[in-house]
Amino acid sequence: IGDSGIIVLRHLDSEVSSTLQRNKKTPRLERKSDLRVAFVSQQQLQSFNHPYQLGWTGEETKDKDSSFKKASDSCTSSVHILRGDIIIMATDGLFDNVDIDDVADICLQWERDNGFVNGSRKSKQEASDLSAKSISSLARILCEKARENSLDSTIDSPFALLAKDNDIMWSGGMPDDCTVVAMHVVGSQSHSL
């Protein structure tokens, strides 16, 4: 397993106390977004563009610091998941090319396109079935955006910004393979699975 990460996106409730709390006076349908990043996994790098790796080559590694020996050697976290959360697990092909705020915007648009935030009420079962049928499209859209950005030499991608922070002149995206697993927590098992 190479450089991968996880983000949890959450709609902020008016009762949530935080610095990211939304404007309570603006009706939800009129707000641009109340979908916010609730959790981001820590990036684990040996140095710039050299992530720790988890795997087995069949041989003992000579350099003790070259990779994790077991999963417990890595940084671990836990986060409480709530109904409505969107969880994105992806390789650096996504996170090196698409800013986390843009990932949140894409996820919000997916929710709008599928009727999760348009004001219509769905039963838990309806929401589960719709989510199960449409969640793979969110992963595909994110992969397509990562590919588009990776080939764009005019943008300041997250990778380019980190490169510049490390005194490396880089512009544009970072072509890389990309795997995205998207999950939408809706609170009930889907009948369509």
Side-chain angles (χ1 to χ4, degrees):
I1 298 173
D3 192 1
S4 301
I6 183 171
I7 63 172
V8 177
L9 301 169
R10 176 170 297 151
H11 287 278
L12 293 181
D13 192 319
S14 60
E15 286 140 28
V16 173
S17 295
S18 98
T19 58
L20 297 176
Q21 190 170 1
R22 68 170 172 81
N23 176 356
K24 296 179 200 175
K25 296 177 183 175
T26 306
R28 184 172 190 183
L29 295 176
E30 294 175 21
R31 292 192 308 268
K32 183 178 179 210
S33 170
D34 66 350
L35 189 64
R36 299 284 190 261
V37 176
F39 175 80
V40 179
S41 60
Q42 177 181 335
Q43 193 173 29
Q44 298 176 73
L45 300 173
Q46 296 177 49
S47 61
F48 172 71
N49 204 26
H50 291 98
Y52 284 104
Q53 304 286 318
L54 177 63
W56 177 250
T57 62
E59 299 177 8
E60 284 294 322
T61 55
K62 292 181 176 43
D63 181 5
K64 291 184 179 186
D65 296 325
S66 67
S67 63
F68 297 125
K69 302 294 183 201
K70 52 191 180 240
S72 62
D73 292 338
S74 65
C75 176
T76 59
S77 302
S78 64
V79 61
H80 292 279
I81 301 301
L82 302 176
R83 187 175 338 147
D85 285 357
I86 296 175
I87 304 164
I88 304 295
M89 296 186 299
T91 60
D92 58 341
L94 175 69
F95 297 120
D96 282 352
N97 290 298
V98 183
D99 185 75
I100 290 178
D101 289 335
D102 293 336
V103 171
D105 289 344
I106 290 167
C107 291
L108 179 65
Q109 187 60 50
W110 171 83
E111 284 187 315
R112 287 181 175 148
D113 292 347
N114 288 283
F116 290 106
V117 291
N118 65 1
S120 66
R121 297 279 184 201
K122 292 180 178 23
S123 71
K124 286 182 185 178
Q125 193 59 58
E126 289 172 323
S128 292
D129 291 344
L130 179 57
S131 181
K133 289 177 185 172
S134 61
I135 193 68
S136 62
S137 68
L138 176 57
R140 187 188 75 253
I141 291 165
L142 289 168
C143 280
E144 289 169 354
K145 183 63 175 174
R147 177 167 169 69
E148 175 187 324
N149 287 1
S150 75
L151 301 173
D152 186 343
S153 62
T154 65
I155 64 168
D156 265 340
S157 67
F159 181 86
L161 294 173
L162 187 58
K164 290 172 185 170
D165 285 347
N166 285 275
D167 296 325
I168 298 169
M169 295 313 299
W170 187 279
S171 62
M174 173 61 175
D176 200 352
D177 55 344
C178 183
T179 300
V180 175
V181 177
M183 293 171 276
H184 186 217
V185 180
V186 289
S188 183
Q189 186 173 356
S190 171
H191 287 148
S192 64
L193 292 178

